[in-house]
Amino acid sequence: MSEARTSTRDVVFIALFAALTAALALFPPLQVPLLGVPVTAQSMGPMLAGAILGARRGALSMLLVVALVAIGLPILSGGRGGLGVFFGPTVGFLVGWLPAAYVTGLLHEKGWRSLSLVSSFAYCAIGGILVLYAVGIPLMILNTGLAPAKAFAATGVFVPGDLIKAAITAVVAVAVKRSYPLIDRPRARIG
Amino acid sequence: MTKPDARGSSAIHRMPAGIKLLALAVAGSAVVLVGDWRVMLACLALALLLYPAAGLTFRDAARQLRPLLWMLVILFAAQAWFESFALAALVVLRIAALVALAALVTLTTPMAAMIAVVERVVSPFRRLGVDPEKVGLAFALALRFIPVIAAQAGEIREAQRARGLDRNLVALALPLIVRTLRTADAVADAVEARSFDADAAGERVARLKMKVDRSSE
């Protein structure tokens, strides 16, 4: 999990963002009347981890979440957890959190200097929605034999909610950049 | 948020965690070869029969499958409508059988044994720069701080409800993130003060040891 360049401080941030993602499961799903599907807070986890911790630490914290689910913690929304999750139809929307956080983080690192609400929102949408669905939908098709069009239709209803989450993450990321920048912190290559 | 007690005295409880995980992986790959839904029904029955064999009840199995129920029903309906009954039954039974089996491994294996397997699995990667001690620290910290951050999330929700902001997700998320970052900084300071930092501390200890060795010559 940690190459030599992962400092103890990095390990702490990785662990606490994994814990934060787990805690997000406790927020009851928000019912948005126009959408018709519940919007859960938890899938903000990979966007937040990437946007605030950056690519590497963000992806590692999501790897830790996946490992915590695997060893049996019921930390996914709805109290799901355990190895059973890995054989369910939506497994791709869990393991997809790794590349989602990585890409979200990478884009935030590249565009850090000129980060704005708009650019952060776009980065979150690319990493947390586009990349996530690119992993989630094929695995769902593989797992269930659903026709691709059906799989797209079944998951498409969650996109508006995910866009709301990308917007919230962007607001948080820009505010945190001002008060608590973690991505730009010069990394001591000596230590 | 806590996992049901995984202690028990059945043969399945006593089986080493690594073997159970390996068996699960083999089963997961093997069921893909089953093409007849009646055989898959037998596989599901077998997985369910392992529950009483482990001293658990069928109700325990049902509790594990219930979160998946609506999804399986929709999946079955879609597949039966657009494809065939046989395919619909095969897919749904396969998912149910594997989820039941995987949940059984989770229910009969203590968390500490699972973490020990994780550490054993990552230790060959030490040469690639993976530090099993840091992996262990990450697990320990996450387990310790899930209830802490969950409690903070609850407090923030109560506070924002008093202000009428409990449906404003930014008003919930931002204070939670800032608190998490502050906690992380404090924890990192504390861990470093105890000089856990594996590289730095290890080097310091090694140098010290060399000095001691030399002086004793």
Side-chain angles (χ1 to χ4, degrees), chain B residues 25-101:
Chain B
V26 170
S29 322
V31 291
V32 177
L33 303 174
V34 176
D36 189 325
W37 69 271
R38 280 156 297 193
V39 180
M40 198 57 86
L41 186 63
C43 291
L44 174 62
L46 197 67
L48 293 178
L49 282 174
L50 287 174
Y51 277 73
L56 298 165
T57 60
F58 288 125
R59 187 176 293 181
D60 292 317
R63 202 172 295 138
Q64 298 300 317
L65 290 171
R66 197 169 303 142
L68 266 179
L69 194 62
W70 65 270
M71 207 186 290
L72 291 182
V73 169
I74 293 170
L75 189 59
F76 182 83
Q79 294 284 49
W81 184 262
F82 293 109
E83 307 286 338
S84 66
F85 170 83
L87 183 69
L90 181 69
V91 168
V92 168
L93 289 170
R94 181 168 67 206
I95 292 172
L98 282 176
V99 169
L101 198 63

Side-chain angles (χ1 to χ4, degrees), chain A residues 135-159:
Chain A
V135 177
I137 292 175
L139 278 179
M140 179 179 263
I141 292 168
L142 201 72
N143 231 347
T144 61
L146 270 178
K150 306 267 151 25
F152 274 104
T155 51
V157 292
F158 292 100
V159 172

Side-chain angles (χ1 to χ4, degrees), chain A residues 41-115:
Chain A
Q42 192 165 45
S43 51
M44 262 168 73
M47 296 189 211
L48 284 169
I52 293 169
L53 298 183
R56 228 180 89 75
R57 287 176 296 186
L60 285 175
S61 78
M62 291 303 109
L63 178 61
L64 184 55
V65 172
V66 172
L68 290 169
V69 171
I71 66 172
L73 285 173
I75 54 175
L76 296 180
S77 54
R80 290 169 305 129
L83 291 162
V85 173
F86 293 87
F87 296 99
T90 54
V91 58
F93 290 94
L94 173 63
V95 297
W97 285 359
L98 269 92
Y102 192 86
V103 172
T104 305
L106 199 64
L107 292 171
H108 275 84
E109 286 171 12
K110 299 285 179 211
W112 186 247
R113 287 256 170 116
S114 56
L115 195 71

Side-chain angles (χ1 to χ4, degrees), chain B residues 165-215:
Chain B
L165 290 173
D166 57 318
R167 286 181 64 80
N168 180 338
L169 289 175
V170 174
L172 295 173
L174 191 55
L176 184 61
I177 303 295
V178 171
R179 274 215 208 178
T180 302
L181 291 172
R182 286 219 188 101
T183 310
D185 258 340
V187 171
D189 286 342
V191 174
E192 276 169 4
R194 283 160 185 72
S195 78
F196 177 85
D197 199 52
D199 328 311
E203 256 167 52
R204 233 177 291 136
V205 171
R207 233 176 281 142
L208 201 67
K209 224 177 134 201
M210 260 164 54
K211 258 189 224 159
V212 173
D213 288 347
R214 270 197 211 121
S215 60

Side-chain angles (χ1 to χ4, degrees), chain B residues 90-161:
Chain B
L90 181 69
V91 168
V92 168
L93 289 170
R94 181 168 67 206
I95 292 172
L98 282 176
V99 169
L101 198 63
L104 180 69
V105 174
T106 300
L107 286 175
T108 59
T109 313
M111 191 108 36
M114 289 285 201
I115 295 179
V117 172
V118 172
E119 282 179 357
R120 218 176 321 136
V121 169
V122 298
S123 59
F125 297 99
R126 197 187 272 277
R127 285 194 319 181
L128 296 175
V130 179
D131 183 345
E133 269 173 27
K134 282 185 180 165
V135 175
L137 177 68
F139 271 92
L141 282 174
L143 289 173
R144 174 71 188 81
F145 278 94
I146 288 171
V148 173
I149 295 179
Q152 290 180 347
E155 279 169 28
I156 290 167
R157 249 180 70 208
E158 285 307 308
Q160 301 297 47
R161 181 172 300 156

